[in-house]
Amino acid sequence: MTDPHATAERILRRFARDTNLLIAGRPIRVSAETEDTATALAVAGMARALGARLVEDDATGPDVLDIEIDGDDAALSLGGTPLAPRGDAVGRLDFARAHMPVSTALAAELREAGTVRGLRIGVSMTLEPKTANLALLLTDAGADVAVYAHPDETDPEVAAALRARGVPVDADPDLSGAAEREAALAWLRRGFDVVVDDGSHLVRLAHEAAPELIEGWIGVTEETTSGLTPVRTMHAAGLLRTPVVAVNDAATKTGFDNRYGTGQSCVLAIADLIEHVDATVRDLPVLVIGYGPVGVGVAAHLTALGAHVSVAEIDPLRALLAVHDGYEVGHAEDLAQGALVVSCTGVEGTVTRELLELAAIVAVAGGVPGEVDLDESSLEPVAVAGAPVPHLEVDVERGTLVLDRGGCINVTAAEGNPIEIMDLSFATQLAAIRSLVEERPGIGVHPLPDDAVHHVAATAARARGVALDASPASSTTDTDWRSRRYRGVDA
Ligand SMILES: NC(=O)c1ccc[n+]([C@@H]2O[C@H](COP(=O)([O-])OP(=O)(O)OC[C@H]3O[C@@H](n4cnc5c(N)ncnc54)[C@H](O)[C@@H]3O)[C@@H](O)[C@H]2O)c1
């Protein structure tokens, strides 16, 4: 009989792959005939561990996922409708849009307030259906939007679908070297009021090669950790020439995108890939390097699939957190032997040649170039039944499987973070754009103000149908700061 855990994992991975939707927070109902009870229990247990909520028979709603176990497989329905293929790029774009209520609400507010009407906004991100929707939402809000994507991060069909809807897109998967740099500069020369960047690649290129273009910018909103680090270095060195809003650092971004989104999408992409060589994450020890929000999410999702996870960290606070989350924490060199090693640092050179030699499989969830110190010359494609498996190579010198040449695995080998997660991140982006345009902060790296973060969270909670208790009147109206303990007692 097939291992119920393996079947459960395959079913849940199929749901995530076919829809690009999030499992955490999703209402899920599992049903089965008596002979499939073990599988049903495994699916329910794994879904719950991944953050899903198990619901009763009478629960209804568009987000309810029904999993009807049938032997080693299952029939899946969402909101009572059997899951169907999303279709071509246009279908995937529209499917994503239908699951992005938070960004849609924030964009409608921008439109109503006229905040971005006529502003030139440049969006530089991995080009896939969710980012395409961010561009469309900004266009709907009245902005004049142009999109850039790096050749490695371009889905040509999505680019074509976006162009067909009137958004200029500078993204050509065939470019490389000097032509690629020239295309990025040409995009910058379009001239922008606001630049939405991911990894600060375009913002840094502008500072290096075309600083005169920055003079006209209202500012930048930066999506991710690895983009903010160099921008902060530039500011400390007195080189930054523009205000930057640190979208990444907002709780509505880091707490969900880095934690739940990257956790689900990277771990399931890894499991999808290693299945080609008949491996699962339960077959070998797993080492997560780096226990920031991404490491926390990756470790939690691996654990939910039944993996035995240990952690390596250099920061004592994060290491302590990993200990309290129940992981063995130690030196990477001591824990990497024969392991699946997942780098979650966003730091170049994290997986050294020594670790590469010790590990059985190496993958990256962080995402800076060179996170694995690869020996390109000894990489060879892995072939199954005579055909090379995309994104899977072996370092023949060391016998280590290398996933996607050390690229950010959920972006290059899968569809990126789940739609609901990017909905929240892009709602945070839209709030950051509003804050930048309305507040006009000076040159520097600025947090998104608390009230803006709170507004995004409240909008998302409403969209998820969350009923919030009202704050007790005393917490909002009591202005008496004195300790209650001594009130009414004369001095
Ligand atoms: N794949 C995605 O979709 C996605 C999404 C969000 C963020 N990211 C990227 O993932 C990376 C991590 O994000 P984060 O928010 O968790 O960052 P973070 O900086 O908060 O956490 C990284 C952790 O790694 C630790 N670390 C660094 N070098 C180490 C080493 N050699 N050994 C052990 N530990 C080490 C740091 O101490 C830190 O705690 C960033 O590059 C970020 O941009 C990727």
Side-chain angles (χ1 to χ4, degrees), residues 224-227 248 253-254 257-258 262 266 289-295 312-315 318 344-347 350 365-368 408 410-411 417:
T224 197
T225 316
S226 54
N248 176 75
K253 199 277 179 181
T254 328
D257 180 313
N258 303 34
T262 311
C266 288
I289 307 184
Y291 204 66
V294 168
E313 229 319 327
I314 51 175
D315 178 299
R318 305 302 304 185
C344 301
T345 64
V347 175
T350 297
V368 291
C408 191
N410 63 337
V411 175
N417 277 327

PDB file of all heavy atoms in Angstrom, residues 224-227 248 253-254 257-258 262 266 289-295 312-315 318 344-347 350 365-368 408 410-411 417, ligand 1:
ATOM      1  N   THR A 224      11.785  43.801  -1.094  1.00  0.00           N
ATOM      2  CA  THR A 224      12.341  42.671  -0.356  1.00  0.00           C
ATOM      3  C   THR A 224      13.597  42.973   0.453  1.00  0.00           C
ATOM      4  O   THR A 224      14.246  44.014   0.263  1.00  0.00           O
ATOM      5  CB  THR A 224      12.582  41.471  -1.325  1.00  0.00           C
ATOM      6  OG1 THR A 224      12.733  40.285  -0.560  1.00  0.00           O
ATOM      7  CG2 THR A 224      13.800  41.691  -2.196  1.00  0.00           C
ATOM      8  N   THR A 225      13.895  42.034   1.376  1.00  0.00           N
ATOM      9  CA  THR A 225      15.031  42.166   2.291  1.00  0.00           C
ATOM     10  C   THR A 225      16.326  42.406   1.525  1.00  0.00           C
ATOM     11  O   THR A 225      17.095  43.320   1.848  1.00  0.00           O
ATOM     12  CB  THR A 225      15.214  40.851   3.099  1.00  0.00           C
ATOM     13  OG1 THR A 225      13.948  40.405   3.552  1.00  0.00           O
ATOM     14  CG2 THR A 225      16.131  41.050   4.279  1.00  0.00           C
ATOM     15  N   SER A 226      16.576  41.564   0.512  1.00  0.00           N
ATOM     16  CA  SER A 226      17.864  41.658  -0.177  1.00  0.00           C
ATOM     17  C   SER A 226      17.986  42.938  -0.997  1.00  0.00           C
ATOM     18  O   SER A 226      19.089  43.307  -1.389  1.00  0.00           O
ATOM     19  CB  SER A 226      18.116  40.419  -1.043  1.00  0.00           C
ATOM     20  OG  SER A 226      17.041  40.221  -1.912  1.00  0.00           O
ATOM     21  N   GLY A 227      16.885  43.623  -1.235  1.00  0.00           N
ATOM     22  CA  GLY A 227      16.956  44.918  -1.911  1.00  0.00           C
ATOM     23  C   GLY A 227      17.204  46.043  -0.922  1.00  0.00           C
ATOM     24  O   GLY A 227      17.820  47.060  -1.261  1.00  0.00           O
ATOM     25  N   ASN A 248       9.125  45.818   2.403  1.00  0.00           N
ATOM     26  CA  ASN A 248       9.464  44.517   2.985  1.00  0.00           C
ATOM     27  C   ASN A 248       9.267  44.480   4.496  1.00  0.00           C
ATOM     28  O   ASN A 248       8.831  43.469   5.037  1.00  0.00           O
ATOM     29  CB  ASN A 248      10.924  44.171   2.674  1.00  0.00           C
ATOM     30  CG  ASN A 248      11.342  42.876   3.335  1.00  0.00           C
ATOM     31  OD1 ASN A 248      10.965  41.804   2.898  1.00  0.00           O
ATOM     32  ND2 ASN A 248      12.085  42.971   4.444  1.00  0.00           N
ATOM     33  N   LYS A 253       3.829  42.523   5.098  1.00  0.00           N
ATOM     34  CA  LYS A 253       4.644  41.891   4.062  1.00  0.00           C
ATOM     35  C   LYS A 253       5.505  40.790   4.704  1.00  0.00           C
ATOM     36  O   LYS A 253       5.285  39.599   4.451  1.00  0.00           O
ATOM     37  CB  LYS A 253       5.499  42.953   3.358  1.00  0.00           C
ATOM     38  CG  LYS A 253       6.028  42.504   2.008  1.00  0.00           C
ATOM     39  CD  LYS A 253       7.285  41.669   2.139  1.00  0.00           C
ATOM     40  CE  LYS A 253       7.825  41.184   0.813  1.00  0.00           C
ATOM     41  NZ  LYS A 253       9.031  40.360   1.008  1.00  0.00           N
ATOM     42  N   THR A 254       6.451  41.170   5.526  1.00  0.00           N
ATOM     43  CA  THR A 254       7.402  40.179   6.065  1.00  0.00           C
ATOM     44  C   THR A 254       6.697  39.050   6.809  1.00  0.00           C
ATOM     45  O   THR A 254       7.088  37.891   6.693  1.00  0.00           O
ATOM     46  CB  THR A 254       8.377  40.843   7.061  1.00  0.00           C
ATOM     47  OG1 THR A 254       8.605  42.175   6.671  1.00  0.00           O
ATOM     48  CG2 THR A 254       9.680  40.076   7.152  1.00  0.00           C
ATOM     49  N   ASP A 257       4.415  37.178   3.575  1.00  0.00           N
ATOM     50  CA  ASP A 257       5.114  36.819   2.332  1.00  0.00           C
ATOM     51  C   ASP A 257       6.354  35.985   2.661  1.00  0.00           C
ATOM     52  O   ASP A 257       6.487  34.829   2.231  1.00  0.00           O
ATOM     53  CB  ASP A 257       5.489  38.137   1.630  1.00  0.00           C
ATOM     54  CG  ASP A 257       6.225  37.961   0.322  1.00  0.00           C
ATOM     55  OD1 ASP A 257       7.174  37.169   0.271  1.00  0.00           O
ATOM     56  OD2 ASP A 257       5.884  38.644  -0.655  1.00  0.00           O
ATOM     57  N   ASN A 258       7.266  36.548   3.452  1.00  0.00           N
ATOM     58  CA  ASN A 258       8.506  35.831   3.766  1.00  0.00           C
ATOM     59  C   ASN A 258       8.196  34.556   4.549  1.00  0.00           C
ATOM     60  O   ASN A 258       8.820  33.519   4.316  1.00  0.00           O
ATOM     61  CB  ASN A 258       9.451  36.720   4.591  1.00  0.00           C
ATOM     62  CG  ASN A 258       9.779  38.024   3.870  1.00  0.00           C
ATOM     63  OD1 ASN A 258       8.943  38.557   3.156  1.00  0.00           O
ATOM     64  ND2 ASN A 258      10.976  38.528   4.053  1.00  0.00           N
ATOM     65  N   THR A 262       6.740  32.251   1.127  1.00  0.00           N
ATOM     66  CA  THR A 262       7.996  31.631   0.719  1.00  0.00           C
ATOM     67  C   THR A 262       8.081  30.222   1.287  1.00  0.00           C
ATOM     68  O   THR A 262       8.575  29.305   0.627  1.00  0.00           O
ATOM     69  CB  THR A 262       9.176  32.499   1.186  1.00  0.00           C
ATOM     70  OG1 THR A 262       8.908  33.836   0.795  1.00  0.00           O
ATOM     71  CG2 THR A 262      10.473  32.048   0.573  1.00  0.00           C
ATOM     72  N   CYS A 266       8.424  27.621  -1.701  1.00  0.00           N
ATOM     73  CA  CYS A 266       9.771  27.033  -1.846  1.00  0.00           C
ATOM     74  C   CYS A 266       9.753  25.554  -1.474  1.00  0.00           C
ATOM     75  O   CYS A 266      10.315  24.719  -2.184  1.00  0.00           O
ATOM     76  CB  CYS A 266      10.785  27.767  -0.975  1.00  0.00           C
ATOM     77  SG  CYS A 266      11.177  29.404  -1.616  1.00  0.00           S
ATOM     78  N   ILE A 289      19.411  26.899   6.548  1.00  0.00           N
ATOM     79  CA  ILE A 289      20.443  27.874   6.944  1.00  0.00           C
ATOM     80  C   ILE A 289      19.828  29.257   6.918  1.00  0.00           C
ATOM     81  O   ILE A 289      19.350  29.723   5.871  1.00  0.00           O
ATOM     82  CB  ILE A 289      21.670  27.827   6.014  1.00  0.00           C
ATOM     83  CG1 ILE A 289      22.209  26.407   5.897  1.00  0.00           C
ATOM     84  CG2 ILE A 289      22.753  28.762   6.533  1.00  0.00           C
ATOM     85  CD1 ILE A 289      23.491  26.291   5.078  1.00  0.00           C
ATOM     86  N   GLY A 290      19.831  29.924   8.085  1.00  0.00           N
ATOM     87  CA  GLY A 290      19.235  31.251   8.214  1.00  0.00           C
ATOM     88  C   GLY A 290      17.827  31.111   8.771  1.00  0.00           C
ATOM     89  O   GLY A 290      16.993  30.398   8.196  1.00  0.00           O
ATOM     90  N   TYR A 291      17.574  31.763   9.903  1.00  0.00           N
ATOM     91  CA  TYR A 291      16.256  31.632  10.541  1.00  0.00           C
ATOM     92  C   TYR A 291      15.604  33.011  10.684  1.00  0.00           C
ATOM     93  O   TYR A 291      15.066  33.373  11.709  1.00  0.00           O
ATOM     94  CB  TYR A 291      16.405  30.918  11.892  1.00  0.00           C
ATOM     95  CG  TYR A 291      15.133  30.230  12.354  1.00  0.00           C
ATOM     96  CD1 TYR A 291      14.616  29.148  11.650  1.00  0.00           C
ATOM     97  CD2 TYR A 291      14.456  30.670  13.489  1.00  0.00           C
ATOM     98  CE1 TYR A 291      13.454  28.525  12.064  1.00  0.00           C
ATOM     99  CE2 TYR A 291      13.280  30.045  13.919  1.00  0.00           C
ATOM    100  CZ  TYR A 291      12.799  28.981  13.200  1.00  0.00           C
ATOM    101  OH  TYR A 291      11.646  28.345  13.603  1.00  0.00           O
ATOM    102  N   GLY A 292      15.677  33.788   9.586  1.00  0.00           N
ATOM    103  CA  GLY A 292      14.862  35.001   9.499  1.00  0.00           C
ATOM    104  C   GLY A 292      13.452  34.551   9.159  1.00  0.00           C
ATOM    105  O   GLY A 292      13.146  33.343   9.180  1.00  0.00           O
ATOM    106  N   PRO A 293      12.554  35.494   8.819  1.00  0.00           N
ATOM    107  CA  PRO A 293      11.182  35.088   8.487  1.00  0.00           C
ATOM    108  C   PRO A 293      11.110  34.002   7.416  1.00  0.00           C
ATOM    109  O   PRO A 293      10.271  33.100   7.487  1.00  0.00           O
ATOM    110  CB  PRO A 293      10.551  36.395   8.004  1.00  0.00           C
ATOM    111  CG  PRO A 293      11.345  37.465   8.670  1.00  0.00           C
ATOM    112  CD  PRO A 293      12.741  36.959   8.822  1.00  0.00           C
ATOM    113  N   VAL A 294      11.991  34.071   6.393  1.00  0.00           N
ATOM    114  CA  VAL A 294      11.962  33.045   5.344  1.00  0.00           C
ATOM    115  C   VAL A 294      12.361  31.682   5.921  1.00  0.00           C
ATOM    116  O   VAL A 294      11.692  30.666   5.686  1.00  0.00           O
ATOM    117  CB  VAL A 294      12.875  33.452   4.154  1.00  0.00           C
ATOM    118  CG1 VAL A 294      13.100  32.283   3.205  1.00  0.00           C
ATOM    119  CG2 VAL A 294      12.259  34.631   3.404  1.00  0.00           C
ATOM    120  N   GLY A 295      13.428  31.656   6.714  1.00  0.00           N
ATOM    121  CA  GLY A 295      13.867  30.400   7.335  1.00  0.00           C
ATOM    122  C   GLY A 295      12.792  29.824   8.245  1.00  0.00           C
ATOM    123  O   GLY A 295      12.554  28.603   8.259  1.00  0.00           O
ATOM    124  N   ALA A 312      20.820  26.186  11.105  1.00  0.00           N
ATOM    125  CA  ALA A 312      22.088  26.869  11.376  1.00  0.00           C
ATOM    126  C   ALA A 312      21.836  28.372  11.295  1.00  0.00           C
ATOM    127  O   ALA A 312      21.180  28.835  10.359  1.00  0.00           O
ATOM    128  CB  ALA A 312      23.149  26.456  10.364  1.00  0.00           C
ATOM    129  N   GLU A 313      22.295  29.122  12.265  1.00  0.00           N
ATOM    130  CA  GLU A 313      22.072  30.573  12.328  1.00  0.00           C
ATOM    131  C   GLU A 313      23.328  31.221  12.904  1.00  0.00           C
ATOM    132  O   GLU A 313      24.023  30.615  13.704  1.00  0.00           O
ATOM    133  CB  GLU A 313      20.902  30.887  13.273  1.00  0.00           C
ATOM    134  CG  GLU A 313      19.814  31.795  12.825  1.00  0.00           C
ATOM    135  CD  GLU A 313      20.110  33.036  12.051  1.00  0.00           C
ATOM    136  OE1 GLU A 313      21.170  33.648  12.269  1.00  0.00           O
ATOM    137  OE2 GLU A 313      19.279  33.432  11.228  1.00  0.00           O
ATOM    138  N   ILE A 314      23.609  32.466  12.476  1.00  0.00           N
ATOM    139  CA  ILE A 314      24.742  33.165  13.059  1.00  0.00           C
ATOM    140  C   ILE A 314      24.289  34.226  14.067  1.00  0.00           C
ATOM    141  O   ILE A 314      25.079  34.705  14.860  1.00  0.00           O
ATOM    142  CB  ILE A 314      25.618  33.833  11.963  1.00  0.00           C
ATOM    143  CG1 ILE A 314      24.770  34.686  11.025  1.00  0.00           C
ATOM    144  CG2 ILE A 314      26.392  32.778  11.167  1.00  0.00           C
ATOM    145  CD1 ILE A 314      25.581  35.465   9.993  1.00  0.00           C
ATOM    146  N   ASP A 315      23.011  34.570  14.045  1.00  0.00           N
ATOM    147  CA  ASP A 315      22.497  35.599  14.951  1.00  0.00           C
ATOM    148  C   ASP A 315      21.939  34.909  16.202  1.00  0.00           C
ATOM    149  O   ASP A 315      21.048  34.057  16.086  1.00  0.00           O
ATOM    150  CB  ASP A 315      21.394  36.375  14.220  1.00  0.00           C
ATOM    151  CG  ASP A 315      20.745  37.434  15.077  1.00  0.00           C
ATOM    152  OD1 ASP A 315      20.155  37.093  16.133  1.00  0.00           O
ATOM    153  OD2 ASP A 315      20.813  38.606  14.697  1.00  0.00           O
ATOM    154  N   ARG A 318      18.014  34.943  16.649  1.00  0.00           N
ATOM    155  CA  ARG A 318      17.291  34.071  15.723  1.00  0.00           C
ATOM    156  C   ARG A 318      17.561  32.596  16.057  1.00  0.00           C
ATOM    157  O   ARG A 318      16.688  31.737  15.928  1.00  0.00           O
ATOM    158  CB  ARG A 318      17.688  34.359  14.269  1.00  0.00           C
ATOM    159  CG  ARG A 318      17.537  35.783  13.807  1.00  0.00           C
ATOM    160  CD  ARG A 318      16.170  36.355  13.917  1.00  0.00           C
ATOM    161  NE  ARG A 318      15.138  35.605  13.238  1.00  0.00           N
ATOM    162  CZ  ARG A 318      13.871  35.996  13.126  1.00  0.00           C
ATOM    163  NH1 ARG A 318      13.488  37.155  13.673  1.00  0.00           N
ATOM    164  NH2 ARG A 318      12.980  35.263  12.526  1.00  0.00           N
ATOM    165  N   CYS A 344      18.390  30.037   3.362  1.00  0.00           N
ATOM    166  CA  CYS A 344      17.327  31.048   3.543  1.00  0.00           C
ATOM    167  C   CYS A 344      17.936  32.361   4.029  1.00  0.00           C
ATOM    168  O   CYS A 344      17.307  33.088   4.807  1.00  0.00           O
ATOM    169  CB  CYS A 344      16.304  30.555   4.570  1.00  0.00           C
ATOM    170  SG  CYS A 344      15.507  29.020   4.124  1.00  0.00           S
ATOM    171  N   THR A 345      19.161  32.651   3.612  1.00  0.00           N
ATOM    172  CA  THR A 345      19.850  33.818   4.165  1.00  0.00           C
ATOM    173  C   THR A 345      19.741  35.053   3.277  1.00  0.00           C
ATOM    174  O   THR A 345      19.737  36.178   3.787  1.00  0.00           O
ATOM    175  CB  THR A 345      21.347  33.517   4.347  1.00  0.00           C
ATOM    176  OG1 THR A 345      21.924  33.279   3.062  1.00  0.00           O
ATOM    177  CG2 THR A 345      21.562  32.316   5.258  1.00  0.00           C
ATOM    178  N   GLY A 346      19.754  34.867   1.954  1.00  0.00           N
ATOM    179  CA  GLY A 346      19.873  36.022   1.063  1.00  0.00           C
ATOM    180  C   GLY A 346      21.281  36.593   1.120  1.00  0.00           C
ATOM    181  O   GLY A 346      21.485  37.760   0.803  1.00  0.00           O
ATOM    182  N   VAL A 347      22.253  35.765   1.518  1.00  0.00           N
ATOM    183  CA  VAL A 347      23.641  36.223   1.630  1.00  0.00           C
ATOM    184  C   VAL A 347      24.514  35.396   0.680  1.00  0.00           C
ATOM    185  O   VAL A 347      24.466  34.161   0.694  1.00  0.00           O
ATOM    186  CB  VAL A 347      24.159  36.082   3.088  1.00  0.00           C
ATOM    187  CG1 VAL A 347      25.647  36.433   3.172  1.00  0.00           C
ATOM    188  CG2 VAL A 347      23.340  36.953   4.023  1.00  0.00           C
ATOM    189  N   THR A 350      26.641  31.615   1.086  1.00  0.00           N
ATOM    190  CA  THR A 350      26.158  30.895   2.274  1.00  0.00           C
ATOM    191  C   THR A 350      26.492  29.404   2.176  1.00  0.00           C
ATOM    192  O   THR A 350      26.986  28.797   3.135  1.00  0.00           O
ATOM    193  CB  THR A 350      24.625  31.065   2.423  1.00  0.00           C
ATOM    194  OG1 THR A 350      24.336  32.438   2.624  1.00  0.00           O
ATOM    195  CG2 THR A 350      24.090  30.251   3.596  1.00  0.00           C
ATOM    196  N   ALA A 365      16.148  29.288  -0.977  1.00  0.00           N
ATOM    197  CA  ALA A 365      14.861  29.983  -0.817  1.00  0.00           C
ATOM    198  C   ALA A 365      15.084  31.473  -0.607  1.00  0.00           C
ATOM    199  O   ALA A 365      14.137  32.248  -0.600  1.00  0.00           O
ATOM    200  CB  ALA A 365      14.106  29.399   0.374  1.00  0.00           C
ATOM    201  N   GLY A 366      16.340  31.865  -0.384  1.00  0.00           N
ATOM    202  CA  GLY A 366      16.655  33.284  -0.139  1.00  0.00           C
ATOM    203  C   GLY A 366      16.597  34.060  -1.424  1.00  0.00           C
ATOM    204  O   GLY A 366      15.575  34.607  -1.781  1.00  0.00           O
ATOM    205  N   GLY A 367      17.680  34.071  -2.142  1.00  0.00           N
ATOM    206  CA  GLY A 367      17.554  34.630  -3.482  1.00  0.00           C
ATOM    207  C   GLY A 367      18.504  35.724  -3.866  1.00  0.00           C
ATOM    208  O   GLY A 367      18.077  36.686  -4.480  1.00  0.00           O
ATOM    209  N   VAL A 368      19.796  35.600  -3.505  1.00  0.00           N
ATOM    210  CA  VAL A 368      20.744  36.516  -4.156  1.00  0.00           C
ATOM    211  C   VAL A 368      21.659  35.684  -5.052  1.00  0.00           C
ATOM    212  O   VAL A 368      21.902  34.505  -4.766  1.00  0.00           O
ATOM    213  CB  VAL A 368      21.603  37.319  -3.138  1.00  0.00           C
ATOM    214  CG1 VAL A 368      20.752  38.303  -2.386  1.00  0.00           C
ATOM    215  CG2 VAL A 368      22.377  36.415  -2.202  1.00  0.00           C
ATOM    216  N   CYS A 408      16.599  31.239  -6.835  1.00  0.00           N
ATOM    217  CA  CYS A 408      15.513  31.314  -5.852  1.00  0.00           C
ATOM    218  C   CYS A 408      14.405  30.352  -6.314  1.00  0.00           C
ATOM    219  O   CYS A 408      13.677  30.644  -7.265  1.00  0.00           O
ATOM    220  CB  CYS A 408      15.049  32.757  -5.842  1.00  0.00           C
ATOM    221  SG  CYS A 408      13.969  33.154  -4.535  1.00  0.00           S
ATOM    222  N   ASN A 410      11.432  29.104  -5.689  1.00  0.00           N
ATOM    223  CA  ASN A 410       9.999  29.293  -5.947  1.00  0.00           C
ATOM    224  C   ASN A 410       9.744  30.232  -7.124  1.00  0.00           C
ATOM    225  O   ASN A 410       8.671  30.221  -7.716  1.00  0.00           O
ATOM    226  CB  ASN A 410       9.269  29.817  -4.694  1.00  0.00           C
ATOM    227  CG  ASN A 410       9.771  31.176  -4.262  1.00  0.00           C
ATOM    228  OD1 ASN A 410      10.880  31.569  -4.584  1.00  0.00           O
ATOM    229  ND2 ASN A 410       8.952  31.887  -3.531  1.00  0.00           N
ATOM    230  N   VAL A 411      10.752  31.034  -7.445  1.00  0.00           N
ATOM    231  CA  VAL A 411      10.571  31.988  -8.536  1.00  0.00           C
ATOM    232  C   VAL A 411      10.955  31.349  -9.859  1.00  0.00           C
ATOM    233  O   VAL A 411      10.236  31.450 -10.851  1.00  0.00           O
ATOM    234  CB  VAL A 411      11.434  33.260  -8.288  1.00  0.00           C
ATOM    235  CG1 VAL A 411      11.351  34.190  -9.477  1.00  0.00           C
ATOM    236  CG2 VAL A 411      10.981  33.950  -7.016  1.00  0.00           C
ATOM    237  N   ASN A 417       5.371  33.145  -5.069  1.00  0.00           N
ATOM    238  CA  ASN A 417       4.536  33.027  -3.877  1.00  0.00           C
ATOM    239  C   ASN A 417       3.058  32.873  -4.239  1.00  0.00           C
ATOM    240  O   ASN A 417       2.624  33.306  -5.301  1.00  0.00           O
ATOM    241  CB  ASN A 417       4.716  34.263  -3.006  1.00  0.00           C
ATOM    242  CG  ASN A 417       5.941  34.140  -2.122  1.00  0.00           C
ATOM    243  OD1 ASN A 417       6.278  33.046  -1.700  1.00  0.00           O
ATOM    244  ND2 ASN A 417       6.601  35.245  -1.870  1.00  0.00           N
TER     245      ASN A 417
HETATM  246  N1  LIG B   1      11.836  33.424  -2.441  1.00  0.00           N
HETATM  247  C1  LIG B   1      11.018  34.385  -2.128  1.00  0.00           C
HETATM  248  O1  LIG B   1       9.892  34.481  -2.615  1.00  0.00           O
HETATM  249  C2  LIG B   1      11.423  35.362  -1.074  1.00  0.00           C
HETATM  250  C3  LIG B   1      10.426  36.087  -0.392  1.00  0.00           C
HETATM  251  C4  LIG B   1      10.822  36.955   0.609  1.00  0.00           C
HETATM  252  C5  LIG B   1      12.175  37.135   0.867  1.00  0.00           C
HETATM  253  N2  LIG B   1      13.111  36.454   0.125  1.00  0.00           N
HETATM  254  C6  LIG B   1      14.549  36.594   0.362  1.00  0.00           C
HETATM  255  O2  LIG B   1      14.948  35.612   1.307  1.00  0.00           O
HETATM  256  C7  LIG B   1      16.097  36.081   2.026  1.00  0.00           C
HETATM  257  C8  LIG B   1      15.854  35.945   3.518  1.00  0.00           C
HETATM  258  O3  LIG B   1      14.784  36.793   3.902  1.00  0.00           O
HETATM  259  P1  LIG B   1      14.493  37.105   5.428  1.00  0.00           P
HETATM  260  O4  LIG B   1      13.427  38.150   5.428  1.00  0.00           O
HETATM  261  O5  LIG B   1      14.312  35.870   6.200  1.00  0.00           O
HETATM  262  O6  LIG B   1      15.908  37.785   5.774  1.00  0.00           O
HETATM  263  P2  LIG B   1      16.608  38.059   7.177  1.00  0.00           P
HETATM  264  O7  LIG B   1      17.795  38.895   6.817  1.00  0.00           O
HETATM  265  O8  LIG B   1      15.620  38.557   8.158  1.00  0.00           O
HETATM  266  O9  LIG B   1      17.081  36.599   7.650  1.00  0.00           O
HETATM  267  C9  LIG B   1      18.229  35.975   7.159  1.00  0.00           C
HETATM  268  C10 LIG B   1      18.875  35.230   8.327  1.00  0.00           C
HETATM  269  O10 LIG B   1      20.006  34.510   7.845  1.00  0.00           O
HETATM  270  C11 LIG B   1      21.025  34.576   8.828  1.00  0.00           C
HETATM  271  N3  LIG B   1      22.307  34.297   8.171  1.00  0.00           N
HETATM  272  C12 LIG B   1      22.978  35.069   7.284  1.00  0.00           C
HETATM  273  N4  LIG B   1      24.097  34.434   6.861  1.00  0.00           N
HETATM  274  C13 LIG B   1      24.128  33.231   7.489  1.00  0.00           C
HETATM  275  C14 LIG B   1      25.020  32.124   7.454  1.00  0.00           C
HETATM  276  N5  LIG B   1      26.094  32.099   6.664  1.00  0.00           N
HETATM  277  N6  LIG B   1      24.743  31.064   8.239  1.00  0.00           N
HETATM  278  C15 LIG B   1      23.652  31.041   9.040  1.00  0.00           C
HETATM  279  N7  LIG B   1      22.762  32.059   9.091  1.00  0.00           N
HETATM  280  C16 LIG B   1      22.996  33.145   8.334  1.00  0.00           C
HETATM  281  C17 LIG B   1      20.911  35.973   9.379  1.00  0.00           C
HETATM  282  O11 LIG B   1      21.499  36.052  10.677  1.00  0.00           O
HETATM  283  C18 LIG B   1      19.392  36.167   9.420  1.00  0.00           C
HETATM  284  O12 LIG B   1      18.828  35.796  10.658  1.00  0.00           O
HETATM  285  C19 LIG B   1      16.308  37.526   1.551  1.00  0.00           C
HETATM  286  O13 LIG B   1      17.256  37.529   0.513  1.00  0.00           O
HETATM  287  C20 LIG B   1      14.961  37.899   0.985  1.00  0.00           C
HETATM  288  O14 LIG B   1      15.068  38.932   0.032  1.00  0.00           O
HETATM  289  C21 LIG B   1      12.766  35.542  -0.808  1.00  0.00           C
END
